[in-house]
Amino acid sequence: MTLQNTSGTAPVSLDLVIFGGAGDLSVRKLLPALYMAHLHGNLPQGARIHPVGRQAFSREAFLAFIQEKVVPFIEPKAFDAQVWQDFLARLNYAAVDVTQEAAYATLAGALNAGSDRVFYLATAPSLFTGICAHLSTAGLIDARSRVVLEKPLGHDLASAQEINRVVGNTFEESRIFRIDHYLGKETVQNLMVLRFGNTIFEPLWRGPAIRSVQITVAESVGVGSRAGFYDGTGALRDMLQNHLLQLLCIVAMEPPVSLDPDAVRDEKLKVLRSLRPMGVAEVARDTVRGQYTAGAVQGESVAGYLQEDSVPADSVTETFVAVKAYINNWRWANVPFFLRTGKRMQERRSEIVIEFADLPFSLFADAPRKSVNRLVIQLQPEESIQLQMMAKEPGSGMRLQPVSLNLDLESAFTGRRAEAYERLLMDVIRGRLTHFMRRDELEAAWTWVEPIIEGWKVLNERPKAYTAGTWGPAASSALMAREDSAWMEEA
Ligand code: BG6
């Protein structure tokens, strides 16, 4: 396969430059994803990959480094020593101090003249300004060049706007790929098809036919070695502002007029702008912050957050957040959207639960009036879609039992499922923007989240403790109970 340039004419070569190329994300996600794309023949023939880092690796030393660090993140059955060697031949490490203008000459020397260029910024966002300016001064950017921005995209609205402004000085919006890897997950993309490729759900896809929506992204891992970053960030900024709000957008958006990137992003933007703003009273009532204490996860004792390496002993950073949100529009008025995410929870589970309305009255003596009808879209650890229904238990009498209709995607489609990063990297290479966030979307998400952060400051309370290996603080269940709902595992 050869890459076509944007005018679709002559094949051109591709240079993919990864700033932060020896960093955690590159090692755990990007290079394994690129290996997989290479293995499956999806990387353009002339594509070369240039990890850029401060470490003074020679090419050989870098290859040895990634042999040790990257291979463990490749599925063993997908690893082939010969293919790996061919993949390494595409790699060319550049030891560059990205803050030094003069250093960009090294990079310039490594890139092919006239190549299509993708610059992946997987560094701290404080470096984005300098990198863009230096790339531009060194003449490394042309109208075809693309930039990929890795989160965190800002700490608040002002810093997100500043990133957008600075990057926008160098790259046109249509060349900026703001990545949210949740948008690359198979089930998330499938949700669009479930909603807009079928007719049966659409008439019911609104309040009051839907009584509530739950979105959970639970992780069993703790903060690990990332405390330096995480303690200044917390669950709201790290997960809810981006991943959970993007999931909410896909659940709640109106049908777009086409799959054109802007058509899809216009609809997501409308959802974000319709989120009911929260004042301090709503923040106190409708949000829950938590922090894990020592406990056990899957049978193993684990430390509390305050005992983790590099976490200050008096840290008030939240490792769990739950929020009740409302969308102020005709479709969703008065339908609560419960969002929660946390580290060191009972298990790794990400799911969206659409809870349908209760029965108007109960005809069957032993059947609850409360609805059992739920559409459960599980993203992780397994991908599945289930519709929960009430059915009659065989035998005399009218005994009712909930049962599930399972959409068995795994056996219906036996083909390979690419990881989110691989899918999104291929989108970048092919110039497809649909699954990336637009500038105004990012800013609208911050506009809604910022008053929550401000409200927490005013309230000045410590996060509520929850034992590692549980589903979060009790206040999270109470948040649901007040709406006569319950999280999936308690329902
Ligand atoms: C990242 C967060 O964006 O997403 C991490 O920074 C988190 O803290 C990760 O662990 C979760 O991603 P996934 O795909 O493993 O659910």
Side-chain angles (χ1 to χ4, degrees), residues 28-29 150-151 181-182 185 217-219 221-222 226 229-230 238-239 242-243 343 348 350 380 419-421:
R28 285 188 308 114
K29 298 286 185 188
E150 189 48 64
K151 66 183 272 283
H181 75 281
Y182 268 63
K185 292 189 189 271
V217 178
E219 298 185 273
V221 293
R226 293 169 74 225
F229 155 76
Y230 193 86
D238 185 40
M239 299 290 288
N242 35 72
H243 305 324
K343 297 214 182 276
R348 177 170 188 249
S350 302
Q380 290 170 171
E419 281 281 326
Y421 270 102

Side-chain angles (χ1 to χ4, degrees), residues 269-289:
L269 177 66
K270 285 198 305 208
V271 174
L272 292 166
R273 288 191 173 154
S274 312
L275 282 166
R276 188 187 292 174
M278 289 205 201
V280 178
E282 288 78 22
V283 171
R285 192 189 58 211
D286 295 341
T287 73
V288 177
R289 304 172 77 219

Side-chain angles (χ1 to χ4, degrees), residues 111-178:
L111 305 185
N112 275 326
S115 61
D116 246 0
R117 289 172 186 172
V118 172
F119 299 99
Y120 197 121
L121 309 192
T123 62
S126 54
L127 297 175
F128 289 2
T129 323
I131 295 176
C132 288
H134 294 325
L135 284 173
S136 174
T137 318
L140 295 180
I141 296 172
D142 66 18
R144 300 196 316 265
S145 307
R146 274 150 275 170
V147 67
V148 186
L149 305 180
E150 189 48 64
K151 66 183 272 283
L153 288 175
H155 200 67
D156 54 15
L157 177 60
S159 51
Q161 284 170 327
E162 179 60 9
I163 293 172
N164 283 337
R165 191 186 63 74
V166 164
V167 177
N169 285 340
T170 311
F171 293 92
E172 272 181 28
E173 182 62 29
S174 64
R175 301 272 142 193
I176 303 176
F177 292 73
R178 293 180 192 80

